[in-house]
């Protein structure tokens, strides 16, 4: 009888190390082989054309990771087949993440509907064309909707029109940026790992109660990691590559606060005060910061309980 040859593990070393620490590595090996796919299932192919916004993660020529949000009329994302997602977006020179979106570059993408909490993550390589680019699917998987804050969306201008105000770059958080970060209930993070000589990127959502991100006197952002699906895509990447990119949207004005820098896993909470539900913590030091006022042509209004 011939021995069964298994495909390589769906997880890389950083992800496996964290899964082992919790004693869930054997179970996650089975889960990963079942839910991490190299194609889009039908429900995800039907999901993307409904979205007015997408989250993208890239790595620029300096090796710096960036996360960004881009808006478009529903239908700007569509999957003509299970192996590719068409993204109809023009280039955006004001967006620092755009520098990492050249033809053939690796890219991470998160489709997320803040009105229903549905989301799908995928990564692969992009191929540019006249309408934007195709993203070839290398990994695709759904995510738990927990910690996504419900919001309703509306457009305030044609999404093909760029913002009127230029980006503002800095090297530290000013008072306005600090207030946005410390009052946020949502941000997005891009990370990457080098696998087989190439980069595998990930971009993910992070949510919690308003104020769940703490900025220390040293300028580091301290961030809790809540109970989740034990995939450890973000933290596993950080374990093997500290470069990360964060973006904090101002949902009321359409502004984006984007930053790139270094992240690391830490053993305990900031100031020694744990946050309810947090299982572990990590922190991030911004090295370059870009504020883009009115970058998004959409606004998100919080959904009130009751």
């Amino acid at each position: 009888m011939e021995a069964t040859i298994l495909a390589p593990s769906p997880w890389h070393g950083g992800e496996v190390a964290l899964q082992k620490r919790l004693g869930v590595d054997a179970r996650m090996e089975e889960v990963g082989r079942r839910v991490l796919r190299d194609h889009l299932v039908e429900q995800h192919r039907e999901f993307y054309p409904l979205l007015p916004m997408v989250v993208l993660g890239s790595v620029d020529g300096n090796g710096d990771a960036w996360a960004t949000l881009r808006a478009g009329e529903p239908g700007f994302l569509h999957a003509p087949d299970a192996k590719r997602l068409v993204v109809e977006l023009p280039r955006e020179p004001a967006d620092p993440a755009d520098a990492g979106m050249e033809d053939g570059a690796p890219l991470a993408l998160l489709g997320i509907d803040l009105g229903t909490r549905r989301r799908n993550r995928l990564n692969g390589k992009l191929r540019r064309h006249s309408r934007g680019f195709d993203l070839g699917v290398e990994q695709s998987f759904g995510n738990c909707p927990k910690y996504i804050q419900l919001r309703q969306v509306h457009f305030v201008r044609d999404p093909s029109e760029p913002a009127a105000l230029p980006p503002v770059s800095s090297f530290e958080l000013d008072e306005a940026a600090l207030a946005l970060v410390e009052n946020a209930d949502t941000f997005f993070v891009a990370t990457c790992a080098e696998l087989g000589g190439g980069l595998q990127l990930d971009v993910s959502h992070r949510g919690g109660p308003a104020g769940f991100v703490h900025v220390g006197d040293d300028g580091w952002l301290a961030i809790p990691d809540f109970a989740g699906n034990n995939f450890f895509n973000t933290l596993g990447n950080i374990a093997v590559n500290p470069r990360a990119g964060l973006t904090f949207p101002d949902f009321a004005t359409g502004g984006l606060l984007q930053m790139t820098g270094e992240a690391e896993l830490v053993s305990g909470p900031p100031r020694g005060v744990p946050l309810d539900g947090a299982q572990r913590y990590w922190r991030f030091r911004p090295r370059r910061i870009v504020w883009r006022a009115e970058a998004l042509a959409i606004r998100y209004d919080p959904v009130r309980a009751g």
Side-chain angles (χ1 to χ4, degrees):
M1 178 181 289
E2 293 185 3
T4 301
I5 300 176
L6 290 177
S9 174
W11 312 112
H12 64 66
E15 295 162 334
V16 172
L18 291 172
Q19 292 165 358
K20 283 185 175 179
R21 192 176 300 175
L22 287 184
V24 298
D25 50 308
R27 179 170 64 84
M28 294 311 300
E29 180 75 10
E30 185 276 328
V31 170
R33 292 182 183 278
R34 177 163 42 85
V35 303
L36 270 66
R37 307 177 181 93
D38 63 356
H39 62 279
L40 290 167
V41 297
E42 189 64 27
Q43 66 173 333
H44 292 148
R45 292 179 63 189
E46 295 172 351
F47 169 62
Y48 277 104
L50 306 176
L51 297 177
M53 182 269 286
V54 68
V55 187
L56 302 172
S58 67
V59 173
D60 66 18
N62 296 319
D64 290 330
W66 294 94
T68 190
L69 277 60
R70 295 291 307 274
E73 294 287 353
F76 82 102
L77 302 167
H78 54 96
D81 57 64
K83 296 293 289 185
R84 64 190 170 117
L85 182 71
V86 178
V87 182
E88 296 186 2
L89 286 173
R91 300 301 297 258
E92 178 50 89
D95 186 345
D98 190 78
M101 299 183 195
E102 300 297 337
D103 186 63
L107 190 76
L109 183 148
L110 169 65
I112 184 168
D113 183 348
L114 298 182
T116 65
R117 294 195 178 107
R118 291 181 64 191
R119 57 177 166 172
N120 174 250
R121 284 157 73 173
L122 64 89
N123 59 61
K125 287 186 174 58
L126 66 86
R127 294 296 175 189
R128 288 243 157 236
H129 49 67
S130 59
R131 303 182 314 280
F133 59 85
D134 290 356
L135 183 59
V137 181
E138 294 180 0
Q139 281 189 334
S140 170
F141 52 99
N143 267 162
C144 171
K146 200 172 182 182
Y147 310 115
I148 297 177
Q149 311 298 323
L150 280 173
R151 288 182 162 89
Q152 295 177 324
V153 64
H154 62 275
F155 283 85
V156 295
R157 69 172 189 269
D158 186 331
S160 65
E161 297 177 7
L165 299 173
V168 178
S169 296
S170 62
F171 299 101
E172 60 183 14
L173 297 171
D174 62 18
E175 186 174 340
L178 184 63
L180 178 60
V181 170
E182 292 207 312
N183 288 288
D185 60 18
T186 300
F187 73 92
F188 301 90
V189 52
T191 56
C192 62
E194 188 167 343
L195 304 177
L199 286 178
Q200 178 178 290
L201 276 59
D202 178 75
V203 67
S204 67
H205 163 275
R206 286 291 185 271
F212 78 109
V213 178
H214 168 71
V215 183
D217 294 337
D218 56 3
W220 284 79
L221 281 63
I223 303 159
D225 187 65
F226 299 108
N229 53 21
N230 295 327
F231 284 13
F232 294 125
N233 305 109
T234 297
L235 299 192
N237 283 352
I238 292 171
V240 298
N241 183 351
R243 293 197 176 190
L246 277 59
T247 186
F248 287 81
D250 184 334
F251 290 116
T253 70
L256 287 182
L257 180 66
Q258 295 168 265
M259 55 188 85
T260 190
E262 283 73 41
E264 64 180 21
L265 309 183
V266 294
S267 58
R271 300 171 294 182
V273 180
L275 191 64
D276 286 348
Q279 294 192 329
R280 61 198 63 81
Y281 294 83
W282 56 287
R283 65 178 191 159
F284 172 83
R285 179 179 61 187
R287 184 166 23 83
R288 182 184 165 206
I289 300 165
V290 178
W291 167 248
R292 297 168 56 220
E294 300 180 4
L296 291 174
I298 53 177
R299 302 291 185 269
Y300 280 100
D301 304 316
V303 175
R304 304 298 180 187

